[in-house]
Amino acid sequence: MANAGDFIGNTDAARNMDHYLRGTGTTLDLDVDRMLHDDAALRDVAKASITDNQDHWRQEALDAYRKSGGKPVVIPVESSGTGYMHTDRNWYLAIGSAQTNTTGVVTVVPGADGKPKIGLDYQVNVWDRYNWEPGKATPIGPTTVTDADMARLHRTGLAKEYDMRGSGSVQHYDLGTGSGSLPSPADPGRDGTRTDIGRNGDAR
């Protein structure tokens, strides 16, 4: 099944299945930069996590700046966790639905014109549990995988569920006006195929 996933281009679905079948149960790192690059659903949720909070974060930082007497301040910020469903086929098969939030710091420093300059340095986080829910079935290449059959492997000790988590690269956003565009996703770098030596030991 995992080989079929790689054959039709669903390399991360194959990778995650491999990790499940190896039965170690160890946490798997997620390539969030590549997820953001590939999947519009995650990009939209990540964008909303900033636009929905930016006014509050900006005001909180400005209040701290004024209390400091105009000295530079840095405050940590974090959005609430939000559930979403992947729309990219590879990531849908690899993860399905997951939780995401945005964490970072807002920095306020005196600008050259004497006005405060406000910036947000942030990263997108994703986490989920790799498990199978009876009652569902998913076609992967020429094979239809039922969740009941895959869950049975975990119950009988032939495979093991595991946690998945990861964080994207740190990005910068000007909070001075909050009207600019968010940065494009960071360069995802490696292609994530089986020849990628960074695939948590699952390359072969």
Side-chain angles (χ1 to χ4, degrees):
M1 286 181 293
N3 287 332
D6 257 355
F7 180 76
I8 60 176
N10 297 317
T11 54
D12 293 281
R15 170 205 186 204
N16 291 6
M17 176 75 80
D18 275 351
H19 196 66
Y20 179 66
L21 296 175
R22 287 171 186 264
T24 65
T26 56
T27 299
L28 192 69
D29 292 333
L30 295 176
D31 189 342
V32 176
D33 284 340
R34 198 151 53 83
M35 293 164 67
L36 285 164
H37 181 272
D38 296 344
D39 199 286
L42 178 56
R43 289 197 301 273
D44 289 344
V45 175
K47 178 180 179 180
S49 72
I50 293 176
T51 57
D52 290 350
N53 289 285
Q54 63 183 4
D55 291 343
H56 169 70
W57 290 346
R58 183 189 305 111
Q59 190 58 54
E60 183 180 1
L62 284 173
D63 289 345
Y65 177 76
R66 294 187 182 104
K67 288 180 180 178
S68 75
K71 296 179 181 178
V73 296
V74 178
I75 63 168
V77 294
E78 180 175 0
S79 69
S80 300
T82 303
Y84 73 99
M85 179 75 73
H86 279 285
T87 53
D88 175 81
R89 180 65 175 171
N90 171 50
W91 291 111
Y92 174 77
L93 293 175
I95 299 174
S97 60
Q99 293 285 315
T100 182
N101 78 340
T102 297
T103 54
V105 294
V106 177
T107 302
V108 187
V109 298
D113 58 0
K115 297 180 180 179
K117 184 177 180 180
I118 314 166
L120 169 67
D121 293 291
Y122 69 93
Q123 59 187 160
V124 177
N125 312 296
V126 177
W127 64 95
D128 190 30
R129 178 79 173 167
Y130 191 92
N131 54 16
W132 299 82
E133 301 174 6
K136 296 181 180 179
T138 304
I140 302 178
T143 305
T144 296
V145 178
T146 68
D147 284 36
D149 287 340
M150 296 307 299
R152 190 175 300 113
L153 295 178
H154 171 75
R155 292 196 302 271
T156 58
L158 297 177
K160 195 167 185 179
E161 297 174 356
Y162 57 90
D163 291 329
M164 302 178 286
R165 63 172 60 96
S167 298
S169 298
V170 175
Q171 300 273 62
H172 181 79
Y173 177 54
D174 182 2
L175 269 185
T177 62
S179 60
S181 299
L182 291 174
S184 298
D187 184 349
R190 297 189 301 262
D191 61 9
T193 63
R194 287 185 183 277
T195 58
D196 179 356
I197 61 174
R199 282 178 44 161
N200 298 279
D202 289 329
R204 63 175 186 231

